[in-house]
Amino acid sequence: MSFLIDSSIMITSQILFFGFGWLFFMRQLFKDYEIRQYVVQVIFSVTFAFSCTMFELIIFEILGVLNSSSRYFHWKMNLCVILLILVFMVPFYIGYFIVSNIRLLHKQRLLFSCLLWLTFMYFFWKLGDPFPILSPKHGILSIEQLISRVGVIGVTLMALLSGFGAVNCPYTYMSYFLRNVTDTDILALERRLLQTMDMIISKKKRMAMARRTMFQKGEVHNKPSGFWGMIKSVTTSAPGSESILCLSA
């Protein structure tokens, strides 16, 4: 009796997730497209529903909701359905859609779709050769063989997409955090630059006049020589040199 109740809860949640995936596909993803492919909508909604159901089962496992045998049964069933969709149904339909758009192959599209799917399955299976995936305990088309290859492809794609997003997102949304520079700001900075240049020129003129005054008074040529004169020039300074230091500050 508890298994029937648990199954009814899971079926109800799957129906709700399917409806939400259908609405999301219609209202957000392809709201501006006039061509409607109902097979694509069904595949997307079914994949979305079973993916959300697996996430729901993980939450139920943590919280201890439903019976453990029921959770295991529905987990294995959802996993088999998702693998069937990802490995068999989606690649075959993509190949069928590609062949259908080629006029020369339109009459034998089913045959060429099967050939494309077999080619995909060959490379999909050869992908697991460099990895320690093969095991004599599991069969060729077992869940372990399929989920391991799907995991390798999924982790690789997620790494590529996350790296691209980490670079593209700041480049795209950086303009939202930048301050808009107006013509008034540019004119104000130009005025400040001109004022700074005038101040530098006036200080250079005053320093040149101070050096000329020191030269006329003989403060430059009448410096003491020798070791004691060097020490005296370091410890004491002339009034004119202090004025030059003040102007350069």
Side-chain angles (χ1 to χ4, degrees):
M1 188 65 183
S2 61
F3 179 77
L4 294 177
I5 297 174
D6 296 342
S7 299
S8 63
I9 293 173
M10 297 305 300
I11 291 172
T12 304
S13 63
Q14 286 177 356
I15 293 173
L16 293 176
F17 289 141
F18 181 85
F20 181 78
W22 186 277
L23 291 176
F24 180 75
F25 186 90
M26 294 289 292
R27 300 290 178 84
Q28 295 295 328
L29 294 181
F30 287 91
K31 61 181 180 180
D32 297 329
Y33 291 87
E34 297 180 356
I35 301 175
R36 300 295 181 184
Q37 295 287 337
Y38 290 102
V39 180
V40 177
Q41 297 177 20
V42 171
I43 292 175
F44 174 82
S45 301
V46 170
T47 307
F48 181 82
F50 279 95
S51 301
C52 293
T53 305
M54 293 187 70
F55 182 69
E56 183 184 23
L57 286 172
I58 293 174
I59 296 176
F60 285 170
E61 179 72 23
I62 296 172
L63 299 178
V65 182
L66 303 183
N67 195 3
S68 60
S69 60
S70 301
R71 291 196 303 264
Y72 180 75
F73 172 78
H74 287 286
W75 176 266
K76 197 123 187 213
M77 184 186 70
N78 291 338
L79 194 61
C80 292
V81 173
I82 286 181
L83 288 176
L84 179 65
I85 294 172
L86 293 178
V87 179
F88 297 97
M89 189 177 295
V90 173
F92 178 79
Y93 186 73
I94 291 174
Y96 182 81
F97 185 73
I98 293 173
V99 173
S100 299
N101 291 328
I102 301 174
R103 295 181 178 179
L104 297 177
L105 307 177
H106 193 269
K107 294 181 179 180
Q108 298 178 348
R109 54 188 175 183
L110 186 61
L111 176 62
F112 285 99
S113 300
C114 294
L115 291 177
L116 286 177
W117 180 78
L118 291 175
T119 305
F120 165 77
M121 286 299 297
Y122 173 77
F123 288 105
F124 176 77
W125 194 260
K126 294 295 290 184
L127 182 66
D129 291 343
F131 303 98
I133 296 175
L134 296 176
S135 176
K137 298 181 182 179
H138 308 296
I140 297 177
L141 295 177
S142 61
I143 295 178
E144 289 79 7
Q145 298 289 344
L146 295 177
I147 198 66
S148 57
R149 286 166 172 80
V150 171
V152 170
I153 297 174
V155 170
T156 305
L157 290 178
M158 288 299 294
L160 292 175
L161 291 175
S162 61
F164 175 77
V167 176
N168 186 54
C169 183
Y171 179 78
T172 304
Y173 295 100
M174 186 67 72
S175 59
Y176 291 100
F177 302 98
L178 296 177
R179 179 174 173 266
N180 293 326
V181 180
T182 60
D183 295 335
T184 306
D185 298 332
I186 296 174
L187 292 175
L189 290 175
E190 288 179 351
R191 292 194 192 97
R192 292 176 60 184
L193 179 62
L194 292 175
Q195 290 177 0
T196 305
M197 295 296 293
D198 293 338
M199 187 182 299
I200 292 172
I201 292 171
S202 63
K203 284 190 175 184
K204 285 184 177 180
K205 289 181 179 179
R206 292 171 62 184
M207 289 175 64
M209 292 177 64
R211 286 197 180 95
R212 182 180 178 183
T213 304
M214 290 174 59
F215 181 77
Q216 290 177 355
K217 293 181 178 180
E219 293 179 355
V220 177
H221 295 283
N222 297 330
K223 291 184 178 179
S225 59
F227 180 74
W228 294 107
M230 186 183 299
I231 295 176
K232 186 177 180 181
S233 62
V234 172
T235 54
T236 60
S237 59
S241 61
E242 292 178 356
S243 62
I244 293 176
L245 293 174
C246 293
L247 290 173
S248 62

